[in-house]
Amino acid sequence: MAREMMMNPDDNATAAAQVLDQRIQAAERGNYVGMRIVRDPAPRFAFQFRQNAAATLARYTRDPRFTFREGGIPTEELQPIFDEWWGRFEPYRLVGGGGVYEFDGKVMFDMNIDEAGFREIAERERWTMPDRLELRFSGPRNSRSIDPALERYVRVFPRQDRQPAVVNLARLSGRVILRDGCFRLTEHGDGGEPLVIFGRDVELGLDAEGYMALKDNSSDEAMPRIGERMAWAGPQGYSEADPAVALLRAKCGTGPIVAVGSPESDYRTK
């Protein structure tokens, strides 16, 4: 039964549904939301309408392979909301992804910032969110950064001010060292010693044995000590508009920067 629940309608039903979809699109513009697969419990095609769904579908078919759903907003009405607000959010590096969800009648964005930080910008810009726009915020930023006992050794402990929009999944590694108060990456395959910027919520402190080490309360992975080889998913980007990047360059100079996010200990995870 579980396997049957995951199956799609057969090829004949699919072909018939596609023909019916085109017919309804042409005749019910403004009321027709779209077609999708539902499982209730067998897989069927559901044709969704803003209102009068049962009666509307009955005008076109009574095929038991097809059913109806009511609610939602057609894509053509939601797309302008998506386009407008993506254009507003993107210059502030606020949005990591999003989409038009016509069956739910919403535009949704995944935000790179917590709600408090967003509200500050929204109030300054006098933004009023439309009812159909839903924002999913990152959690509050970790306010702890560097153990005060270590501040005299470090020029700057750079942390990105946003959650990354997209994280690639290639496993990268290298050794992060502290040289002249600046964190740099060695043994990473590209040569040189680029500067390093860490993830938004990473902390720097001392571990139980007194070594300088990273910490991230949002991760269960073993966090590395400074000086040992570490690994992270990437490559990860960074923005020159990030104040942390400007501070890093002011304190440690120009040159390449590698974003390592919240790395794990390459040694202790093997």
Side-chain angles (χ1 to χ4, degrees), residues 45-64:
F45 285 100
F47 295 83
Q48 188 160 329
F49 303 88
R50 300 177 75 163
Q51 57 188 2
N52 302 323
T56 304
L57 183 62
R59 290 203 298 268
Y60 298 94
T61 183
R62 296 185 182 274
D63 191 322

Side-chain angles (χ1 to χ4, degrees), residues 23-162:
R23 183 182 174 196
I24 294 176
Q25 279 190 46
E28 299 290 339
R29 184 170 297 276
N31 187 34
Y32 184 50
V33 175
M35 175 186 75
R36 57 177 167 149
I37 296 173
V38 298
R39 295 174 175 85
D40 56 358
R44 294 197 287 174
F45 285 100
F47 295 83
Q48 188 160 329
F49 303 88
R50 300 177 75 163
Q51 57 188 2
N52 302 323
T56 304
L57 183 62
R59 290 203 298 268
Y60 298 94
T61 183
R62 296 185 182 274
D63 191 322
R65 298 174 298 177
F66 307 142
T67 186
F68 61 87
R69 292 291 187 272
E70 189 161 299
I73 302 292
T75 297
E76 57 265 25
E77 292 187 28
L78 296 174
Q79 190 65 47
I81 299 175
F82 179 93
D83 294 341
E84 176 186 352
W85 288 94
W86 181 280
R88 292 192 183 195
F89 292 158
E90 198 276 335
Y92 295 92
R93 301 178 295 117
L94 296 177
V95 61
V100 170
Y101 296 84
E102 65 272 22
F103 299 115
D104 299 310
K106 296 178 181 179
V107 170
M108 288 188 272
F109 286 120
D110 294 313
M111 309 302 282
N112 295 338
I113 193 171
D114 62 36
E115 186 170 4
F118 172 78
R119 295 300 173 198
E120 181 179 338
I121 296 172
E123 289 176 9
R124 184 173 69 240
E125 297 300 315
R126 298 182 179 180
W127 289 338
T128 300
M129 303 296 112
D131 292 338
R132 296 293 179 183
L133 181 60
E134 181 176 308
L135 307 180
R136 296 178 291 209
F137 296 102
S138 300
R141 187 180 190 185
N142 181 8
S143 60
R144 297 183 301 275
S145 174
I146 182 171
D147 187 325
L150 301 177
E151 289 180 350
R152 63 193 177 109
Y153 303 110
V154 177
R155 293 191 187 189
V156 59
F157 181 61
R159 304 189 304 171
Q160 293 180 286
D161 68 340
R162 300 281 194 271

Side-chain angles (χ1 to χ4, degrees), residues 16 20 26 45-46 96 98 108 111 122 133 174 193 199 209 216 218 220 223 230 234 237 247 259:
L20 184 58
F45 285 100
M108 288 188 272
M111 309 302 282
L133 181 60
E193 292 188 352
E209 298 180 18
D216 186 348
S218 67
D220 295 328
M223 295 294 286
M230 55 188 72
L247 181 61

Side-chain angles (χ1 to χ4, degrees), residues 173-175 185-194 229 232 258:
S173 65
R175 195 163 63 92
L185 183 64
T186 69
E187 299 178 13
H188 60 101
D190 292 334
E193 292 188 352
R229 195 169 186 85
W232 62 94
V258 175

